[in-house]
Amino acid sequence: MTTTTPAPGEFHVVGDDIRDEAAPTGPIERRWDDRKFNAKLVNPANRRKIKVIVVGTGLAGASAAATLGEAGYQVVSFCYQDSPRRAHSIAAQGGINAAKNYRNDGDSIYRLFYDTVKGGDFRSRESNVYRLAQVSVNIIDQCVAQGVPFAREYGGLLDNRSFGGVQVSRTFYARGQTGQQLLIGAYQALERQIGAGTVEMNTRHEMLEVILVPDADGTERARGIVVRDMVTGEIETHTADAVVLASGGYGNVFFLSTNAMGSNTTATWRAHKKGAYFANPCYTQIHPTCIPVSGEYQSKLTLMSESLRNDGRIWVPKKEGDDRPASQIPEDERDYYLERIYPSFGNLVPRDIASRAAKYQCDDGKGVGPGGLGVYLDFQDAIARLGRPAVEAKYGNLFDMYARITGEDPYSEPMRIYPAVHYVMGGLWVDYDLQTNITGLFCTGEANFSDHGANRLGASALMQGLADGYFVLPNTLADYLAASPFEKVADDHPRVVEARQEVEERISTLLKINGTRTVDSIHKELGHIMWEYCGMERTAEGLTKAVGLIRELKNEFWTNVKVTGENEELNQTLERAGRVADFLELGELMCIDALNRAESCGGHFRAESQTEDGEALRHDDQFAYVAAWEYDTAGEGKTPILHKEPLEYEYVEMKARSYK
């Protein structure tokens, strides 16, 4: 049973363990096929009577809305951008994984499954990951049929390259624009359904609340959402038979990240505050190859694709404080530290390992560039081996982007890179069917926690988003909708009215504070706290301090923030204020989760838990579980409730990761 008082020195209480009741059993290679066969179906005539809301139009949301619309459901889609194709999925660069084994280099569904579980440091569910590997082969066929221009070899076959944490080539790509091309494919499919009338598209609308309505038996079901028209400020309510959240990740809690500036946690956090569990919020991914911070004026960071590590070599000067230009440092005075420490994988170790290794080099005084916060990514060997035209063909747009941002020519001198926040493995807790613990509320893509454990391998985000949207959700959602259509919910239903009033009151409160601090100044301060104490390296002392600092900052926000303008207009300050209010609460939970998980695993590195040579040290006897957090409604979130979902491994042996 749930205790009501935190233990001394802790900020949470422990509730009952939970289980994924939807997870199938039997041989792992049969589980997804069995689940699909046993799922209830909805006949085509009945689908036309059923309405589904989809929030988000990135790869997960666009593919889900298009597929459900094609199947005949009434789909209502929402995004805060002015076009569905502006979703942040468009920024993904390097590629998408699939176990096609076109290179005949030993790849298979099982190897992709194993690499993903190992890459996630044994903190993901076996069944979910195996399904992801199975479905991956279908994604490529789907995208090629849509006309996605994947790179091809001279003979016309689809080309592959390698990404971190693997020793095979399974990543399909379109130069450095893979996310853009995949999203255009999903966008075309979505627009086709909009034209056919099965999908209603609502751009410039931001979800601010989820509507829960009880059945006659008392079961709370997600039956709609409250949104704000970002142009007029009008508050609208929309009801349906099911709600799907595909709203992306929460990396912008750090203020500086590679995410689009509009990316936020509001949709998932609103669901969390209505009862949806938030799983593993401390699992954040720091990407090793990003353009370093160049000044206080910056509002976002820029990713340099992991694909560059195929041909680029990472190094620092061997001598501490060596500030000579890279071209003047002889070969024997360079430390290719990833190749030295991890000879089996070299520059293609997983992201969490590469990021920490870069941090250690800079901490030791060997960093390059302003402030010593950078390492070199050098292509001179690749240019000498392949020729400049071949390098341009593979990476030209990435090199151009680097040159425009830094004013430096990466063809003649090495790139300077440094780790930055890029992705989150945490998100809403979902079962095998992608349904949250709130009946009728589903969650897909980066917005859920389901597939990557404590660290995502490169090129797997696009794979998960499209797997969820094109192939998984359409099957599992149908099983839920087989019992629908449910009783219609009127606009004047008490729960609809209540949810609308909650949104209006929150907006009114923000506008009335009229303090002296800008929203961005508070967001930036939160980002500093998160990066300093809940970034690449974490300690109990630092995390405890961070919780206190965030609580003080949260009080500062609600008493001294200045939100200009009115609601009934285009008001970007108001939009940001609502998002930052949610980031403050999420940031506190992230620190509490990181403090509770007194082990190192994947992207979560506790300084107190490391091996003699500085590698992550797990404690499987204590922490082999998913941390699913329940919002403390009575205490206004001050004492979150931890529910543990034990992780069980039948097909992969849990052991210390080694990439040496």
Side-chain angles (χ1 to χ4, degrees):
M1 296 299 292
T2 303
T3 58
T4 56
T5 305
E10 295 185 348
F11 299 98
H12 71 279
V13 295
V14 179
D16 296 332
D17 284 2
I18 59 173
R19 295 272 176 183
D20 178 3
E21 301 297 340
T25 56
I28 196 167
E29 64 274 8
R30 289 287 314 161
R31 290 177 185 175
W32 176 230
D33 289 336
D34 290 346
R35 180 69 190 99
K36 286 189 292 182
F37 180 76
N38 292 322
K40 300 182 183 71
L41 302 177
V42 181
N43 81 56
N46 286 340
R47 293 174 200 162
R48 294 192 293 269
K49 307 171 188 175
I50 298 171
K51 183 181 288 188
V52 180
I53 287 172
V54 179
V55 179
T57 57
L59 288 179
S63 59
T67 306
L68 294 170
E70 181 78 38
Y73 296 101
Q74 302 174 45
V75 180
V76 187
S77 180
F78 295 87
C79 69
Y80 69 79
Q81 297 90 349
D82 59 1
S83 167
R85 63 170 291 183
R86 289 187 182 272
H88 185 58
S89 297
I90 206 165
Q93 298 171 354
I96 178 171
N97 289 329
K100 287 285 198 180
N101 195 32
Y102 283 172
R103 287 290 185 89
N104 195 28
D105 55 1
D107 200 12
S108 64
I109 288 172
Y110 188 87
R111 188 175 295 280
L112 175 52
F113 157 68
Y114 176 82
D115 286 345
T116 304
V117 171
K118 177 185 175 183
D121 217 352
F122 304 92
R123 290 295 178 263
S124 55
R125 296 172 176 157
E126 280 191 330
S127 292
N128 290 60
V129 177
Y130 196 90
R131 175 178 65 188
L132 180 64
Q134 280 180 294
V135 171
S136 72
V137 298
N138 304 119
I139 296 171
I140 303 304
D141 297 339
Q142 170 90 356
C143 294
V144 169
Q146 290 174 339
V148 173
F150 286 122
R152 293 178 181 268
E153 297 176 333
Y154 179 78
L157 299 177
L158 296 180
D159 195 13
N160 292 118
R161 57 190 178 197
S162 297
F163 261 57
V166 304
Q167 293 177 307
V168 297
S169 295
R170 65 163 66 102
T171 304
F172 295 78
Y173 65 97
R175 294 188 78 193
Q177 309 167 344
T178 313
Q180 182 184 65
Q181 300 304 324
L182 291 173
L183 186 60
I184 289 173
Y187 168 74
Q188 290 174 158
L190 176 62
E191 287 295 323
R192 179 173 179 270
Q193 295 309 311
I194 293 171
T198 61
V199 176
E200 173 193 317
M201 187 69 237
N202 295 275
T203 59
R204 304 302 300 276
H205 282 72
E206 184 168 23
M207 174 188 154
L208 297 178
E209 194 58 87
V210 62
I211 299 171
L212 306 185
V213 178
D215 281 351
D217 64 0
T219 301
E220 294 272 353
R221 291 185 190 271
R223 295 299 309 275
I225 61 174
V226 182
V227 299
R228 179 178 178 270
D229 184 320
M230 295 164 65
V231 177
T232 67
E234 182 181 357
I235 306 302
E236 305 172 4
T237 56
H238 296 263
T239 57
D241 295 292
V243 176
V244 179
L245 301 184
S247 51
Y250 50 85
N252 276 349
V253 68
F254 290 87
F255 185 71
L256 286 178
S257 81
T258 65
N259 291 181
M261 289 184 63
S263 298
N264 63 83
T265 190
T266 292
T268 51
W269 195 252
R270 293 291 111 203
H272 174 58
K273 294 187 76 168
K274 280 294 178 72
Y277 294 160
F278 211 106
N280 301 334
C282 77
Y283 288 168
T284 53
Q285 180 163 90
I286 313 295
H287 199 294
T289 54
C290 300
I291 298 177
V293 176
S294 57
E296 281 293 314
Y297 56 84
Q298 274 187 271
S299 55
K300 80 175 299 296
L301 297 174
T302 303
L303 170 72
M304 287 286 101
S305 170
E306 180 167 319
S307 63
L308 295 172
R309 289 198 273 148
N310 273 276
D311 292 305
R313 300 180 70 193
I314 295 174
W315 64 275
V316 293
K318 288 183 178 179
K319 185 173 140 185
E320 181 179 333
D322 190 339
D323 59 359
R324 289 176 294 173
S327 59
Q328 295 180 16
I329 300 177
E331 188 72 15
D332 61 356
E333 295 181 30
R334 300 179 178 188
D335 181 11
Y336 296 91
Y337 58 89
L338 291 178
E339 298 173 23
R340 170 175 56 83
I341 301 171
Y342 307 100
S344 293
F345 285 76
N347 294 295
L348 286 173
V349 292
R351 291 174 176 178
D352 58 314
I353 291 174
S355 293
R356 283 195 294 274
K359 178 183 184 298
Y360 294 154
Q361 296 298 322
C362 294
D363 289 349
D364 288 343
K366 298 178 182 178
V368 300
L373 293 178
V375 299
Y376 287 128
L377 179 60
D378 196 332
F379 283 85
Q380 293 310 302
D381 287 355
I383 292 172
R385 184 179 75 253
L386 303 171
R388 176 166 172 162
V391 173
E392 284 181 348
K394 282 185 174 182
Y395 310 117
N397 68 304
L398 298 171
F399 278 49
D400 292 345
M401 183 165 60
Y402 180 87
R404 284 198 300 270
I405 292 172
T406 66
E408 301 168 5
D409 178 15
Y411 291 105
S412 60
E413 55 186 307
M415 292 182 179
R416 289 178 297 105
I417 57 169
Y418 192 71
V421 175
H422 175 61
Y423 186 87
V424 293
M425 286 71 67
L428 289 188
W429 183 92
V430 292
D431 62 15
Y432 189 76
D433 288 351
L434 304 183
Q435 185 171 207
T436 70
N437 58 300
I438 295 178
T439 305
L441 180 66
F442 292 76
C443 189
T444 63
E446 190 180 355
N448 74 32
F449 89 102
S450 66
D451 292 347
H452 304 296
N455 175 65
R456 176 177 68 77
L457 291 182
S460 288
L462 308 186
M463 175 174 63
Q464 186 211 348
L466 293 181
D468 286 356
Y470 281 137
F471 299 105
V472 179
L473 184 75
N475 285 284
T476 61
L477 183 61
D479 182 70
Y480 171 75
L481 293 174
S484 67
F486 304 110
E487 183 179 347
K488 184 173 175 58
V489 178
D491 290 342
D492 60 354
H493 188 285
R495 288 295 189 90
V496 177
V497 174
E498 178 186 358
R500 181 189 183 107
Q501 288 175 343
E502 288 175 2
V503 170
E504 291 171 340
E505 289 169 5
R506 192 181 315 127
I507 291 173
S508 176
T509 299
L510 288 169
L511 290 168
K512 287 178 180 177
I513 296 171
N514 198 29
T516 61
R517 291 195 59 177
T518 65
V519 175
D520 284 354
S521 75
I522 292 177
H523 192 184
K524 185 177 290 189
E525 185 175 341
L526 172 65
H528 282 311
I529 294 170
M530 296 301 296
W531 181 252
E532 180 69 23
Y533 302 111
C534 198
M536 276 194 282
E537 185 172 290
R538 304 155 178 186
T539 65
E541 180 183 3
L543 291 165
T544 301
K545 181 178 181 180
V547 173
L549 291 173
I550 293 171
R551 288 180 173 178
E552 292 174 7
L553 187 60
K554 186 163 54 175
N555 181 66
E556 172 78 356
F557 176 89
W558 285 107
T559 57
N560 196 30
V561 74
K562 187 175 186 66
V563 181
T564 56
E566 304 293 335
N567 175 57
E568 292 75 21
E569 63 181 357
L570 174 64
N571 190 337
Q572 293 185 319
T573 303
L574 177 60
E575 294 164 18
R576 291 198 298 272
R579 295 166 187 170
V580 171
D582 293 331
F583 278 139
L584 284 162
E585 295 181 355
L586 170 64
E588 181 180 333
L589 182 62
M590 289 170 65
C591 293
I592 291 172
D593 185 39
L595 184 61
N596 169 72
R597 191 170 285 277
E599 66 163 353
S600 295
C601 57
H604 168 65
F605 190 81
R606 285 285 296 268
E608 305 94 334
S609 183
Q610 56 183 302
T611 64
E612 290 183 359
D613 53 355
E615 301 290 351
L617 179 62
R618 297 195 321 267
H619 300 296
D620 295 337
D621 57 331
Q622 301 175 60
F623 297 104
Y625 61 77
V626 174
W629 295 91
E630 178 184 352
Y631 185 77
D632 168 31
T633 306
E636 298 182 347
K638 290 182 180 177
T639 312
I641 303 163
L642 171 62
H643 299 278
K644 301 176 183 179
E645 179 199 330
L647 290 169
E648 299 170 355
Y649 286 89
E650 301 176 63
Y651 293 87
V652 175
E653 179 188 356
M654 295 179 72
K655 56 186 178 182
R657 286 191 309 172
S658 175
Y659 292 94
K660 295 184 177 182

